[in-house]
Amino acid sequence: MGPQGVRHSSDVEVGGKKIVLAVSGGIAAYKSVHVARSMTQLGADVRVVMTRSAERFVGDQTFAGVTGNAVAKDLFGDGPDAPHVELARGADLALVAPATANSIARMAAGLADDLLAATLLTVQCPIVIAPAMHAEMWAHPATAANLATLAGRGVIQVGPNSGPLMSGDTGMGRMAEPHEIVAAALDAIGHAQDLSGRRVVVTAGGTQEPIDPVRFIGNRSSGLMGFAIAHEAARRGAKVTLVTGPNTLIQPPGIEVVDVHTADEMRDAVLNGAADADVIVKAAAVADFKPVDHADKKLKKAEGPPEITLEPTPDILAELGAHPELRKPGSVLVGFAAETVEDVDQLKALARHKLEAKGADMIVANEVGTHDSGFGVRTNRAVIATADGVVDVGLVSKEALAAALVDRVVAFLALRA
Ligand code: CTP
């Protein structure tokens, strides 16, 4: 564990893990040599399987020299076990880098027409793919559909990035850098399935309360924090429902998404899932007030400034806190607190106050309105309050904060089991 209980990839125990590195034919194959070397240096037992076309880009002797293991290429061997079975058995992770458009299509179709494809169809472990292809192939709807199919099966994708491509063009399709691929691999290995069999409801984004058909009262929430929590919970084995306000984020794979606009719609969706949920995380920035009436037709400027009378929206978190009968017995209720503060002590005090006021098991209070914390940025400065006290998490990525939050949720669930 890193400082303040936030997990870092260096905490992941790689020694002795069996990693199948599947290399398909693309110029980026040379970068996979670095991936193989890094994973081997971390103590993993790296078994490389290459397609015939991959050999046009990098020699098998290079991978054998770096990993200390012979490279597998043939679907048929002399041993008692078929090579794909031998490779797949006991594997902790399969890493497909580069994952060409062709190998992605073959995976999506479930083909087993060479050793790489057969191995990927046999492995029982997490699969991480690092796509690499020309920008046109990347943009093709067939590729998008294949990736969506794989994502639906839980395949984790890293990259691609935008940058110079073999064709001489610049665009999307450049394979992620080796350090990014290694980080994704460590992440995939390191994720315990400690929410397996649990149902988690997460809310994300801001609500929009209509004034007329084209205008609303809203806030700057992007949904990034809630999406990161949903993603983290799903990776750790939970069945996740993400109730989200309007956002521009990519739909997380393997997660049921319920799109809502208003606080009332969010309340309905959350209460709908509450009775079966082991965990409810209210990361959404819910509007506190809504117009009493909204116009059916667009308000016209010539009519002058409108008088908008506001009324409170339902406080979903407080309602769930005050009415445990709405929730599954033993479930964990987590709220957020978005605060503008002078210092961390004030943030802690507000977290403690909201923990009490909302009847939650845990409040994550984060600073808003600064350039590096709160709405629309990738990091948060946060504290986590429970009945046991308040922990300062510091300034971390939203993904790291999500992991810290889920770690504590798992501890709560274990205590209540
Ligand atoms: N929340 C909610 N329903 C509302 C308002 C807030 O469920 N109508 C939840 C949020 O999702 C969050 C928590 O309550 O988990 C705290 O939200 P926040 O906006 O920080 O606090 P408020 O209760 O709105 O209080 P204030 O704005 O005065 O700080």
Side-chain angles (χ1 to χ4, degrees), residues 282-284 286-288 313-317 335-339 354 358:
K282 291 281 305 94
V286 186
D288 289 329
T313 57
D315 189 324
I316 310 163
L317 179 64
F336 267 71
E339 310 287 359
K354 254 176 209 169
K358 304 268 186 175

Side-chain angles (χ1 to χ4, degrees), residues 7 17 19 44 58 66 91 101 141-142 160 165 179 182 192-193 221 224 264 283 287 303 307 311 317 337 369 410:
R7 197 185 15 244
K17 298 273 188 198
I19 316 279
V58 59
V66 160
L165 303 172
H179 71 271
V182 169
Q193 293 295 291
S221 172
L224 279 171
D264 286 302
E303 287 158 14
E307 236 173 63
E311 64 180 345
L317 179 64
V410 168

Side-chain angles (χ1 to χ4, degrees), residues 130-201:
M133 64 196 74
H134 297 294
E136 290 82 358
M137 295 168 108
W138 174 252
H140 199 287
T143 303
N146 289 333
L147 287 167
T149 300
L150 295 183
R153 292 182 201 146
V155 171
I156 301 156
Q157 183 183 319
V158 50
N161 298 332
S162 182
L165 303 172
M166 187 171 80
S167 52
D169 307 332
T170 294
M172 276 303 276
R174 183 178 163 85
M175 188 170 84
E177 295 306 317
H179 71 271
E180 295 173 305
I181 297 172
V182 169
L186 295 181
D187 216 27
I189 296 172
H191 272 85
Q193 293 295 291
D194 46 12
L195 283 178
S196 172
R198 301 291 194 173
R199 279 175 179 270
V200 177
V201 173

